[in-house]
Amino acid sequence: MQKGGIKMEHYKQLYIYEKYYMPDCPLFIEKYALTKDNVKNSIFAQIKLRNIGMKNILATYINVKCFDIENHELGEPIEYIYQDKVVARGEEFGGREPIYFQNAYTRKIIITCTKVVYEDGSVWTSDGTKYFEKSNMKFAEEILNEECLQQLKFYENIPEITLKHGIYVPQKLGKTAVCGCGAYNYNETDKVEEPCYNCGKTVKWWNKKVDEKYLQSQFDSRRKAEKEKELEKQRIEEEQRAIKKIEEERRRKKSIKTFAIIASALVIFFGGYAIYKAVTPPTKEEQVSMDLEKFSDNGVLTEDLAKNHKSEIEKKAEEIKNSDYDTYCYIQAQLSLYADDNGFVAIKYLQQIKHTERFSDYNKIYDLCKDNM
């Protein structure tokens, strides 16, 4: 619609209100809004109600008082009936039904539920002294410390639907119970506590869960158990390291003894032959053989020996791999350096040697490897 060349908005929402309850009433207002109809120049309300009682509802009677911006009451209260629909426990209704007011100056309303007719034929009526008022629910965050809140959220099996919207402090307001999930539940008999329509828990269950002493005790016990578990893990790891160290020392001593026996045998075996060969110049093949013998004694390679006799040296290295792993790594490092020209792989082998002091040329070989990377 246009007026004077300007497009006029048909509806303008003036106010929105949320979470209103009426003491000892089987209904709860989730939300209501006051809207202006610019075409009709009137005000109407849309009230979204919820059945929080235990029975199915056939009809709901409400009374609405209207007030202007200065809080002056405007005319007689309006009576309105929601009917022709069965509303089960926990269901919403009424949000799409506009209730028009006679006075266009209406800016505030007070809503009262006067009567509820149930599907079973019974009727709930108001005593006329109560009306819907703003809910005063408190979040658990407002009363619990960080430790208790952590325990509550992550270790107390709180319903997932509650974690999405926050945890409330449960309350008992006459026949109406405020659940920890934020839902209101009305029980007319008030004899047996029924589970919440929203989360399935009772106020008694929630009261225990948000109790500060209970939560602190649970938190402290859990922390103590976690600390003890960590200390036990550290103790086992320390024991394993000690056993490994003893085993490595045992293997080292055994390898040294084995190496000494082999070296002595080689000296005795080749001693006589060395004296004989000393009086005559060695051939090229004999010189290589002599170099190999020297390598067997000290594990030090020449570049020529590594390049030209790699397979023989690798074979000798494999023979001592299990008994003397340090020497095996030292030989493989020299082969990688001299024969393969790969300082990176050579350093990998050098870094596996546990007792580097056994090899007098270790630092020299290590520096050559770094220069060759």
Side-chain angles (χ1 to χ4, degrees):
M1 178 179 179
Q2 291 188 345
K3 187 175 181 180
I6 300 175
K7 186 176 182 180
M8 183 184 298
E9 185 180 13
H10 192 159
Y11 299 110
K12 181 180 180 181
Q13 201 167 70
L14 302 177
Y15 304 100
I16 297 178
Y17 303 92
E18 295 183 342
K19 307 297 181 185
Y20 276 66
Y21 84 102
M22 180 173 158
D24 294 332
C25 175
L27 297 176
F28 183 80
I29 295 178
E30 290 289 348
K31 181 189 296 186
Y32 75 89
L34 288 181
T35 303
K36 184 177 182 181
D37 186 332
N38 288 314
V39 175
K40 295 181 179 180
N41 191 30
S42 59
I43 303 295
F44 66 88
Q46 289 171 290
I47 306 170
K48 183 187 289 185
L49 295 147
R50 187 186 297 277
N51 177 9
I52 62 172
M54 305 303 298
K55 303 176 183 179
N56 292 347
I57 295 174
L58 282 183
T60 298
Y61 294 73
I62 65 170
N63 174 291
V64 183
K65 291 182 180 180
C66 300
F67 300 83
D68 64 15
I69 196 72
E70 296 182 90
N71 215 32
H72 298 135
E73 188 170 356
L74 303 173
E76 294 295 319
I78 295 174
E79 301 289 338
Y80 191 83
I81 305 173
Y82 297 95
Q83 58 186 346
D84 301 325
K85 178 187 176 182
V86 177
V87 183
R89 183 189 184 205
E91 286 187 355
E92 296 176 345
F93 66 100
R96 295 183 178 274
E97 297 184 36
I99 303 174
Y100 278 88
F101 304 127
Q102 294 178 353
N103 198 311
Y105 292 106
T106 300
R107 293 296 181 273
K108 176 185 175 183
I109 60 175
I110 293 179
I111 307 165
T112 302
C113 178
T114 57
K115 185 166 62 174
V116 173
V117 179
Y118 293 113
E119 189 179 33
D120 65 2
S122 60
V123 178
W124 174 92
T125 55
S126 168
D127 61 7
T129 63
K130 301 166 186 174
Y131 55 86
F132 283 98
E133 55 191 83
K134 180 66 177 173
S135 168
N136 61 349
M137 294 185 293
K138 286 185 178 180
F139 283 102
E141 286 88 341
E142 298 178 48
I143 64 169
L144 298 176
N145 61 42
E146 286 299 320
E147 292 180 347
C148 291
L149 204 57
Q150 182 188 112
Q151 180 68 29
L152 175 63
K153 287 184 176 181
F154 302 110
Y155 299 97
E156 293 297 322
N157 298 316
I158 299 301
E160 187 176 349
I161 191 173
T162 302
L163 296 176
K164 292 179 181 179
H165 307 291
I167 301 172
Y168 293 87
V169 179
Q171 302 177 60
K172 193 72 174 171
L173 305 172
K175 295 179 180 180
T176 303
V178 183
C179 183
C181 71
Y184 277 62
N185 290 268
Y186 172 79
N187 189 349
E188 189 169 358
T189 62
D190 202 29
K191 293 180 179 179
V192 179
E193 187 177 15
E194 295 289 339
C196 172
Y197 72 85
N198 186 45
C199 70
K201 305 296 182 181
T202 63
V203 169
K204 184 178 180 181
W205 186 89
W206 277 106
N207 277 330
K208 179 182 178 181
K209 292 299 180 182
V210 300
D211 180 73
E212 189 171 15
K213 290 183 179 179
Y214 164 78
L215 290 172
Q216 192 65 58
S217 174
Q218 293 295 99
F219 179 87
D220 294 341
S221 298
R222 180 173 55 81
R223 274 294 176 85
K224 182 180 178 182
E226 289 174 352
K227 188 174 182 180
E228 289 174 351
K229 185 178 180 180
E230 182 62 27
L231 290 173
E232 178 64 14
K233 180 182 177 183
Q234 292 176 6
R235 184 189 66 78
I236 292 172
E237 289 175 350
E238 289 174 0
E239 285 183 355
Q240 290 175 343
R241 283 194 293 269
I243 293 171
K244 184 178 180 182
K245 187 175 180 182
I246 293 170
E247 187 64 23
E248 288 174 351
E249 183 64 19
R250 185 187 67 79
R251 285 198 298 266
R252 187 185 71 83
K253 290 179 178 179
K254 183 179 179 181
S255 65
I256 292 173
K257 183 178 179 181
T258 302
F259 185 80
I261 292 172
I262 294 173
S264 298
L266 290 172
V267 168
I268 295 170
F269 183 78
F270 291 106
Y273 181 75
I275 293 171
Y276 168 76
K277 292 299 289 183
V279 298
T280 57
T283 64
K284 184 177 180 180
E285 291 77 10
E286 288 173 336
Q287 184 63 51
V288 171
S289 180
M290 290 170 64
D291 289 342
L292 285 171
E293 290 173 8
K294 291 179 181 179
F295 152 71
S296 298
D297 288 337
N298 55 29
V300 177
L301 293 174
T302 64
E303 186 172 353
D304 183 64
L305 195 61
K307 288 182 176 180
N308 298 319
H309 299 277
K310 182 179 178 182
S311 60
E312 295 99 313
I313 294 167
E314 284 181 331
K315 183 177 180 181
K316 287 183 177 292
E318 287 297 324
E319 291 173 357
I320 64 168
K321 182 177 181 180
N322 293 328
S323 61
D324 189 359
Y325 190 69
D326 279 1
T327 302
Y328 166 81
C329 290
Y330 191 59
I331 293 168
Q332 291 291 0
Q334 293 175 89
L335 284 174
S336 298
L337 176 64
Y338 294 133
D340 301 328
D341 199 30
N342 193 332
F344 180 78
V345 173
I347 281 183
K348 288 290 185 180
Y349 277 110
L350 290 175
Q351 289 174 341
Q352 295 182 56
I353 298 174
K354 298 184 181 301
H355 304 284
T356 58
E357 70 276 7
R358 291 176 51 198
F359 309 100
S360 59
D361 287 347
Y362 178 87
N363 291 331
K364 175 185 174 183
I365 298 297
Y366 196 94
D367 290 336
L368 287 173
C369 292
K370 289 197 295 183
D371 293 338
N372 231 7
M373 291 180 65

